[in-house]
Amino acid sequence: MTPGEIRLPEGRLETGWWGPGPEAAPTLVLLHEGLGSLGLWRDFPARLAAATGCGVFAWSRFGYGGSDPVTLPRPFDYLRIEAQQVLPRVLDAIGLRRGILVGHSDGGSIAAIHAGTVPDGRMRGIVVMAPHFFTEPMGLAGVAATARRYEAGELRDRLARHHRHVDVAFRGWSDTWLHSGFPAFFDLRPDIAGIRLPVLAIQGVDDAYGTEEQLRVLEREAAGAVEVMLLPDVGHAPHAEAPTVVLEAVRGFAMRTFGPAAPG
């Protein structure tokens, strides 16, 4: 990884780059989950760059990893703010030319909002892994269970190794999702109806935060082609739990999307 940073008016973002730059190859842009960070992608970016021949770029969003914190509570529309206001400036800062957004969980939701609502001719497709488009009782129960683990201490200790402002990272996620007003507010179906790019949607059958209906609504609502992959015996992190399958799927999607001129 080549470490770096981006400075926006809101503060500093920590970044990482693997493989060729945007002038030499297409770029896969990684968007982490609601408790993720640059470092929590672990070896996935390096393996993705090797598998596809593309450059891979990732960063910690504000409030996560080594990036600057945010003020809590987060607004209910925090995912739209990331997709429509922050992400376009990050893509400009890295000089993106041709790209695919690859988002996990909250990051998948951000990728879908961006594809459905932000005109950007540089984007050629999106990959979403375990995305959220509306709340489900079982998913909210999963968030509540994770919050209890955090209060018990062990999860906080583990996350503190990856987040400079660990309580900001966790509370910004859990307090938003568990707010009594959030379920009525959170509905991304109008956003995803505008997606005209090809989509690869991946989810584990045993995901504790959402059912396959999250992908089925994307399949029904998006204007573009949606390829759905449901992985048995896999939970909320397909790229970590079934890396070989996911890497091959993303490699094939990238080759189909960028065409024969794509490296790798």
Side-chain angles (χ1 to χ4, degrees):
M1 181 186 76
T2 301
E5 65 176 31
I6 292 173
R7 291 192 175 270
L8 299 178
E10 300 94 321
R12 172 188 171 276
L13 297 169
E14 67 165 351
T15 69
W17 197 290
W18 296 257
E23 72 288 344
T27 305
L28 306 181
V29 179
L30 302 186
L31 297 156
H32 64 71
E33 64 174 309
L35 294 178
S37 68
L38 173 65
L40 280 168
W41 284 110
R42 303 190 189 279
D43 66 347
F44 181 70
R47 296 181 67 182
L48 191 58
T52 62
C54 295
V56 176
F57 173 78
W59 78 100
S60 297
R61 296 193 296 276
F62 287 117
Y64 295 101
S67 294
D68 284 350
V70 296
T71 300
L72 300 182
R74 285 187 181 272
F76 284 174
D77 62 347
Y78 75 102
L79 295 176
R80 287 194 179 97
I81 291 170
E82 289 289 342
Q84 297 170 343
Q85 299 179 28
V86 181
L87 177 56
R89 288 180 290 154
V90 170
L91 300 180
D92 289 345
I94 67 172
L96 183 77
R97 298 187 182 186
R98 293 187 296 155
I100 290 174
L101 298 176
V102 182
H104 173 222
S105 191
D106 271 18
S109 305
I110 293 168
I113 296 167
H114 182 85
T117 67
V118 179
D120 188 343
R122 300 169 298 182
M123 278 302 155
R124 307 301 170 84
I126 64 171
V127 178
V128 295
M129 300 182 290
H132 311 290
F133 302 121
F134 56 95
T135 63
E136 297 177 279
M138 58 82 68
L140 295 175
V143 176
T146 302
R148 290 193 293 272
R149 289 175 54 213
Y150 188 82
E151 293 296 339
E154 184 270 338
L155 177 59
R156 186 186 188 281
D157 292 342
R158 287 198 291 115
L159 289 174
R161 296 196 290 267
H162 303 282
H163 299 289
R164 188 155 50 97
H165 306 278
V166 64
D167 290 329
V168 171
F170 191 86
R171 299 294 184 197
W173 171 75
S174 65
D175 290 1
T176 303
W177 279 83
L178 295 177
H179 192 287
S180 60
F182 190 67
F185 174 88
F186 185 69
D187 183 356
L188 300 185
R189 281 169 285 200
D191 304 82
I192 63 179
I195 298 176
R196 290 173 172 77
L197 300 173
V199 180
L200 172 62
I202 304 172
Q203 183 161 328
V205 172
D206 297 332
D207 192 334
Y209 297 102
T211 70
E212 71 172 86
E213 182 60 19
Q214 299 289 338
L215 301 194
R216 298 306 178 193
V217 74
L218 178 62
E219 201 175 32
R220 292 193 300 269
E221 299 290 339
V226 178
E227 177 185 352
V228 168
M229 289 183 63
L230 290 169
L231 304 181
D233 302 316
V234 171
H236 189 59
H239 63 291
E241 299 173 53
T244 301
V245 173
V246 171
L247 286 166
E248 179 58 27
V250 177
R251 188 197 70 80
F253 182 77
M255 293 298 292
R256 295 191 299 275
T257 299
F258 294 124

